[in-house]
Amino acid sequence: MRILIVFLAALLAWAPHLGARERAKELRLLAAELPPYTFQIPPVSVGETPGVKQGFVYELVLEMAKRVGHDGIIEFMPWQEAQRVAQTQPNIGILALTRSPEREDRYRWLAKLYTDDLVVVGGAGVDVSSLDKVKDRPIGVLSNSGAEALLEERGFTRIRPHHEEWMNARLIKQRRLDAWLAPRLMIIYGMHEVGGNLEALNFGEIVRKSEIYLAGSKDLPDAEAERWQKALEEIKADGTYQRIADQYNRLKIEPIPDDKRRRFSQPVWEN
């Protein structure tokens, strides 16, 4: 009996370490403020403590996580930092990342979650029938995005990168930007978020498809990719994917007045 008690005590002492070891094997999932794909209400730019995590892609990945036995914890951090971590540390997952030629070799592409349009929009009177029409005009993009890389590759010299898309929406509303290159859904959300008028924008050339992925660090094995891809197929087959899509199609976006924002530059995050 005494031996049994000693054994049980040792087992209990090691249990937390065993649990930590198992958790360490899980994919560490990272996200950023990329509404309507992944976001928090209220966002970190409004309050000291960010609010409820949500978003179309966020909800999809949560459902997929259940199917693969993942704990469903998704950390939010600045987009540039999330990409840096995913490119330099092992066992990382990142959402929602656009797959583009500039990024192709930097990540393991686990599952394609949605296809949007990368579209150029212009303010009143700005011709955006093709992207080249605004090559010599100030054009907003999300920092460290595929859109920014594309403009740099094409030799644009008046690129105005910002850390979140609502900043581009605010500037184009104020006519301080002539054009804006971003995924269509992000433009629509951003304009609503700043109380802008979508009808005042010219929607121009679809520059390319914007394929939104759950991606990961390059070290991830085939088996990990297969698990997440299978989970995506399951949520599409049982109607969960469409239910989440319908939920976000009905989403009411509440504008956030400028005076409610605590800062207009890079958010400061604490994890």
Side-chain angles (χ1 to χ4, degrees):
M1 177 63 74
R2 186 169 183 176
I3 294 173
L4 179 60
I5 292 171
V6 170
F7 173 76
L8 290 173
L11 187 61
L12 288 171
W14 272 98
H17 301 284
L18 293 171
R21 188 174 299 171
E22 287 303 310
R23 287 193 298 274
K25 294 179 183 177
E26 277 198 335
L27 210 59
R28 181 186 175 196
L29 295 175
L30 308 180
E33 290 286 347
L34 301 170
Y37 306 137
T38 56
F39 60 101
Q40 301 170 105
I41 296 293
V44 73
S45 62
V46 172
E48 292 290 345
T49 304
V52 177
K53 298 174 182 178
Q54 53 198 286
F56 173 50
V57 168
Y58 178 86
E59 299 285 352
L60 291 179
V61 174
L62 276 187
E63 287 292 335
M64 292 162 64
K66 293 177 186 176
R67 314 296 173 105
V68 303
H70 189 280
D71 63 15
I73 294 174
I74 300 175
E75 301 174 46
F76 273 65
M77 61 177 61
W79 192 222
Q80 181 176 357
E81 179 66 8
Q83 292 179 70
R84 185 196 66 77
V85 172
Q87 289 179 41
T88 59
Q89 295 185 20
N91 206 37
I92 303 295
I94 181 170
L95 60 151
L97 193 72
T98 302
R99 188 170 186 171
S100 65
E102 303 84 11
R103 290 172 168 160
E104 185 64 31
D105 296 331
R106 300 178 187 175
Y107 300 94
R108 179 65 191 262
W109 302 95
L110 302 178
K112 182 168 71 173
L113 305 174
Y114 182 71
T115 301
D116 203 342
D117 294 325
L118 183 67
V119 62
V120 58
V121 297
V126 179
D127 183 0
V128 285
S129 55
S130 76
L131 185 58
D132 285 341
K133 296 282 188 181
V134 291
K135 189 165 187 176
D136 298 321
R137 291 177 175 264
I139 180 168
V141 290
L142 183 68
S143 295
N144 299 103
S145 66
E148 183 181 16
L150 183 148
L151 293 181
E152 289 173 347
E153 182 182 280
R154 295 196 183 185
F156 280 61
T157 58
R158 301 188 70 187
I159 306 167
R160 303 291 185 267
H162 294 94
H163 296 291
E164 293 184 25
E165 293 286 25
W166 67 266
M167 299 175 182
N168 288 312
R170 180 173 61 90
L171 291 172
I172 205 164
K173 173 188 169 187
Q174 296 170 346
R175 306 205 66 171
R176 294 165 60 194
L177 286 174
D178 288 345
W180 176 15
L181 181 65
R184 186 184 301 273
L185 290 186
M186 297 187 79
I187 289 170
I188 292 169
Y189 191 100
M191 288 299 288
H192 282 302
E193 194 175 9
V194 300
N197 179 11
L198 271 172
E199 294 181 0
L201 290 183
N202 298 319
F203 278 77
E205 180 189 1
I206 297 173
V207 179
R208 67 186 180 197
K209 290 298 180 184
S210 183
E211 296 182 331
I212 311 300
Y213 269 76
L214 168 64
S217 44
K218 289 281 287 184
D219 70 302
L220 295 178
D222 291 346
E224 187 71 18
E226 289 164 6
R227 291 170 69 221
W228 289 93
Q229 182 59 46
K230 181 182 176 185
L232 177 61
E233 291 166 3
E234 288 178 2
I235 68 170
K236 285 184 174 180
D238 67 15
T240 302
Y241 185 104
Q242 191 59 51
R243 174 182 60 78
I244 294 171
D246 291 343
Q247 171 190 339
Y248 280 91
N249 283 335
R250 297 189 299 267
L251 182 68
K252 184 176 168 128
I253 306 164
E254 296 292 342
I256 300 174
D258 280 355
D259 61 6
K260 297 291 185 186
R261 300 279 188 183
R262 295 187 301 117
R263 56 183 71 86
F264 293 113
S265 57
Q266 169 75 327
V268 177
W269 295 75
E270 292 182 2
N271 289 318

